[in-house]
Amino acid sequence: MIKNYLKIAWRNIKKNKGFSLLNMFGLSLGITCFLLLAAYIFHESSYERFFPNADRLAYFSLTYKAPNSTEEVNSSVTPTALAPTLQAELPEIEQATRLFEYSKAGNVESKDETTKEKKLMYADPNFFNTLGYTFIEGDAKHALTEPNQIVLTKKLAEKYFPKQSALGKTLTIDKVNWKVSGVIQDLPTNTQINFTAILSNKDLARYKQPEWSSANDITIALLKNKDSFGAIQQKLDQITKAKFAEATKQGYQFSFSIEKLIDIHLHSKAAGSGNLVYIYILMALGAALIILTSINFTNLILAHAIERKKEIGVKKVLGAARKTIFLQFFLECSLMVLLSLSLGLLATFLLLPVFSSYMGSEMQLTVWTDPRFYAILFLFFIVLTLISGGWPAYSIASSKPMSIFKRKLAEKQSGISFSKVLVTFQFSISIFFIICTLFAGRQMQFIQSKNTGLDRTDMLVIDGQGWQDKERQLLKDKLMQLNSVQGVTASYDNPVNIQGGYSINEVEGQPADFEMNVTAIPIEKDFVSVFRIKTLAGDPLSDTDILRARDTASPEYSFVINTLAASAMGFTPQQAVGKKINLNGRKGSIKQVVASFNFASLHNEIKPIVLFPEYYYFGNIFIRLNPNTPIQDAIAQVKSVVKDIDAKNQFEYHFLNDDYSKLYLKDQQTTKVMQLFSIITIAIACMGLFALSAYAVQQRVKEIGIRKVLGASVFKIVKILSVDFMILVCSALLIAIPLGWYAMHRWMDNFAYHITLDWWVFIIAGSSALLVSFITISFQTVKAAVTNPIDSLRDE
């Protein structure tokens, strides 16, 4: 019997191709969107979980505050002494290890070419034993036990030693030979511990005498028990009190935090690169989409039941039992759900690479190998079939033959009301996401167009590492001779995301115990002028200032500070000029005060900063191009100059605006997803409204015919039929607007600088929803209004 029901169900699906395809397309679209969003959420929440002992791995961060600072500083790096202290004094810790960044990039020599490799890191000998990476060549135990050993990722090994074993080979980095002691599998995309090679820190000077006075190491530990995080935190607090007792008496505040390594991406203030708020937004979006499409599927089934009234009536008259009709429609719905689910899975598999590219995050469907995934899919199939198939099947099977032939096959009034509630819910969600999308898009535009206090336009960035002072000055002199170049400067860090943590003390005019936290960065003397940062007091740095700072016998620094730094020290810009200060042992005087500029993400407020001329190391060289010269011509001229000075230089470059945009990658990703799926939600909601309007029009065919016979115009009939649905959309507006305002108000709190929630954006969102819904309804209402009343009343 079931086989016959399935045959009939398949025959009916083929017979009503248009309806079946529309309904299955809508449901499979929702399933596809849900699975794509689920893949991204799974990817974001699976960081570091690939390690064999992921639940026992701990990450340590540092929080500190100077006596005269107003805010705490959360640091993802810790002192060199922390790891050995943890391993020696805490029995709960099996192993503790450290990572230290090699530099911004290393010059790798191979044949006649020099390649700059980024993401090189030093590590302790027990690094691979602690974390558990998979080795292709070599072994974890001996990979870093000797000086000048290096472990490569598979990709880097294939780059420098193609089609051969890399083990035992030599790699020359910055004139130093490193012996390859191992090759590991390439790192997955769901990790924050990013590196291309790990270098042994054996005999590295900074580790010969571990210190507590500076923080530059990433510290990770493997615990003996996954439940000992709380006990370790208590002992860590005691260690902190003991090690920083003297500093605490002077007013400093220090604290170390232990966090699960698997949690840092989304939960850590110090080290997290993800955003938990956006995960919640996407979870809500995915849930909304699957609910919307399920509602639509149900409404379309009910709407189509009207068109099959005679079939149902004849079957009932011929003696078909309620159970028989119920099973027929239920199996028909089940088959459509199964086909939609299959199409959704196939579409997800095909679209995931495209979606990954769109999101800028390389996702993989590793979850598809998990049996729980299929259990959830099966449960979803059962629930959706019961809801979308069971309710319509019961409604159809419960109808009486006489009411069917009198054109009264319909839900009871409560059923109609419930359908209207569902459509109102659909449009509430759709309008909510339209509001969120509009505000998020405006915030992203605001970020890109905001004047951050330094001019990023036409700023070409090349790697500054490896350039000696004379070569860099020669490069600057030659570049300044080009008409395509307007200025050249350099700095240690990227000026749109400066990370250097320093402290200022011995401030002239302040008590002897005055001390404050400050961000600081070494710069080349023309930094302020090339970046067009506004000067408020004092004079620019000169060649004399550079010579005094480089005096090895008694160096004296000239400092450039922003207005917030001057204010924190108790001075106006004019008063600050000439005042003597001490910056981490660098003594000198303030020479210039500039306007405060954003040197970090707009998620954070501007803070005090000090710029100082120190030519020891520059990570970036900045070249301001002439906007009147075609970009490609200017780049070609700069490349020619670079190659003349350093023939082996690969000339890798990018623009500073690209670095600025990367600060908001998660914001941009979430905004793009909201833009894409808000269009889909409104389309799905319109499908639901289309179904309900078709359903309602069918119920009022006789009424429409009588009204036309009595002289009602097409416009009047369209108005009568549309007003109820427009009331639903207006009700949805009243629900969505306050929800949208609240959600965007909370989202904007993530940014120190943001747009205002203007009222006209809500009007645009509401008007758009009303217009789209009216057009949707018009397809059915206009069709009904222009129908010949003879056709409507023929059966009466």
Side-chain angles (χ1 to χ4, degrees), residues 257-294:
S257 299
I258 179 174
E259 302 171 274
K260 291 184 178 181
L261 185 64
I262 57 177
D263 289 343
I264 62 168
H265 178 63
L266 292 176
H267 299 276
S268 176
K269 289 182 179 180
S273 62
N275 192 317
L276 192 60
V277 172
Y278 293 155
I279 296 300
Y280 289 145
I281 290 173
L282 295 181
M283 287 173 66
L285 182 55
L289 279 165
I290 201 67
I291 291 170
L292 287 179
T293 49
S294 300

Side-chain angles (χ1 to χ4, degrees), residues 10 13 32 35 70 80 137 241 370 403 409 411 428 486 524 538 541 590 617 646 652 679 681 699 707 745 750 779 792:
W10 178 246
I13 288 173
T32 301
L35 290 176
T70 57
T80 58
E137 294 184 276
K241 289 180 181 178
D370 191 337
S403 66
L409 174 59
E411 299 177 68
S428 297
Q486 292 185 336
E524 194 265 349
L541 297 175
I590 299 169
Y617 172 86
D646 182 6
E652 296 178 355
I679 295 172
T681 55
Q699 305 307 305
R707 286 182 181 276
H745 180 74
N750 285 305
F779 279 108
S792 304

Side-chain angles (χ1 to χ4, degrees), residues 389-446:
W391 175 31
Y394 175 78
S395 178
I396 292 165
S398 301
S399 58
K400 296 178 180 179
M402 189 60 68
S403 66
I404 291 172
F405 290 113
K406 285 186 176 181
R407 289 182 175 266
K408 291 182 181 179
L409 174 59
E411 299 177 68
K412 295 180 177 65
Q413 187 60 39
S414 60
I416 285 286
S417 299
F418 186 56
S419 292
K420 289 181 178 180
V421 168
L422 293 180
V423 168
T424 304
F425 173 72
Q426 286 180 308
F427 265 90
S428 297
I429 293 174
S430 301
I431 296 168
F432 171 79
F433 282 114
I434 290 173
I435 291 170
C436 293
T437 297
L438 290 174
F439 278 117
R442 291 189 66 229
Q443 176 64 14
M444 290 300 101
Q445 290 177 353
F446 169 79

Side-chain angles (χ1 to χ4, degrees), residues 315-567:
K315 286 184 177 181
K316 287 225 167 193
V317 169
L318 293 176
R322 178 187 296 182
K323 177 183 176 182
T324 302
I325 295 174
F326 176 86
L327 278 175
Q328 178 192 330
F329 277 86
F330 184 75
L331 285 174
E332 193 172 316
C333 291
S334 301
L335 187 57
M336 291 177 70
V337 171
L338 182 61
L339 290 172
S340 300
L341 186 58
S342 302
L343 287 171
L345 288 170
L346 178 62
T348 302
F349 179 77
L350 296 174
L351 292 175
L352 188 64
V354 179
F355 186 65
S356 295
S357 176
Y358 183 76
M359 291 295 290
S361 181
E362 197 175 322
M363 292 172 278
Q364 298 173 348
L365 285 174
T366 52
V367 69
W368 284 30
T369 60
D370 191 337
R372 291 174 297 181
F373 174 71
Y374 295 98
I376 292 171
L377 280 182
F378 179 72
L379 181 64
F380 170 76
F381 168 71
I382 296 297
V383 171
L384 184 57
T385 300
L386 288 173
I387 293 173
S388 62
W391 175 31
Y394 175 78
S395 178
I396 292 165
S398 301
S399 58
K400 296 178 180 179
M402 189 60 68
S403 66
I404 291 172
F405 290 113
K406 285 186 176 181
R407 289 182 175 266
K408 291 182 181 179
L409 174 59
E411 299 177 68
K412 295 180 177 65
Q413 187 60 39
S414 60
I416 285 286
S417 299
F418 186 56
S419 292
K420 289 181 178 180
V421 168
L422 293 180
V423 168
T424 304
F425 173 72
Q426 286 180 308
F427 265 90
S428 297
I429 293 174
S430 301
I431 296 168
F432 171 79
F433 282 114
I434 290 173
I435 291 170
C436 293
T437 297
L438 290 174
F439 278 117
R442 291 189 66 229
Q443 176 64 14
M444 290 300 101
Q445 290 177 353
F446 169 79
I447 286 171
Q448 293 300 325
S449 60
K450 184 181 185 302
N451 180 5
T452 57
L454 55 80
D455 192 346
R456 306 183 308 272
T457 57
D458 304 310
M459 190 66 77
L460 192 73
V461 186
I462 64 175
D463 192 350
Q465 185 181 352
W467 291 90
Q468 300 301 316
D469 286 347
K470 290 182 179 179
E471 291 177 333
R472 186 171 50 249
Q473 188 58 48
L474 178 61
L475 174 68
K476 180 176 181 178
D477 293 340
K478 286 195 171 186
L479 287 175
M480 289 304 295
Q481 294 174 13
L482 300 175
N483 292 330
S484 57
V485 173
Q486 292 185 336
V488 181
T489 191
S491 69
Y492 176 90
D493 218 340
N494 193 311
V496 299
N497 192 23
I498 300 173
Q499 300 293 326
Y502 291 73
S503 62
I504 292 177
N505 58 17
E506 298 179 23
V507 177
E508 183 182 347
Q510 292 291 347
D513 61 350
F514 179 91
E515 188 149 356
M516 60 179 279
N517 298 328
V518 68
T519 302
I521 179 176
I523 59 166
E524 194 265 349
K525 68 180 181 66
D526 293 326
F527 183 89
V528 171
S529 61
V530 171
F531 276 101
R532 299 170 181 169
I533 301 171
K534 185 179 180 181
T535 298
L536 299 180
D539 300 311
L541 297 175
S542 65
D543 290 332
T544 303
D545 297 318
I546 307 305
L547 291 172
R548 288 210 306 256
R550 298 175 72 173
D551 186 346
T552 55
S554 56
E556 184 179 347
Y557 286 82
S558 295
F559 299 106
V560 178
I561 66 172
N562 68 352
T563 52
L564 288 176
S567 178

Side-chain angles (χ1 to χ4, degrees), residues 18 64-65 73 107 216 242 435 517 625 641 655 673 733 780:
Y64 61 92
K65 181 177 176 293
V73 176
N107 294 308
N216 292 288
I435 291 170
N517 298 328
L625 302 180
V641 171
F655 285 91
V673 170
L733 268 172
Q780 291 295 332

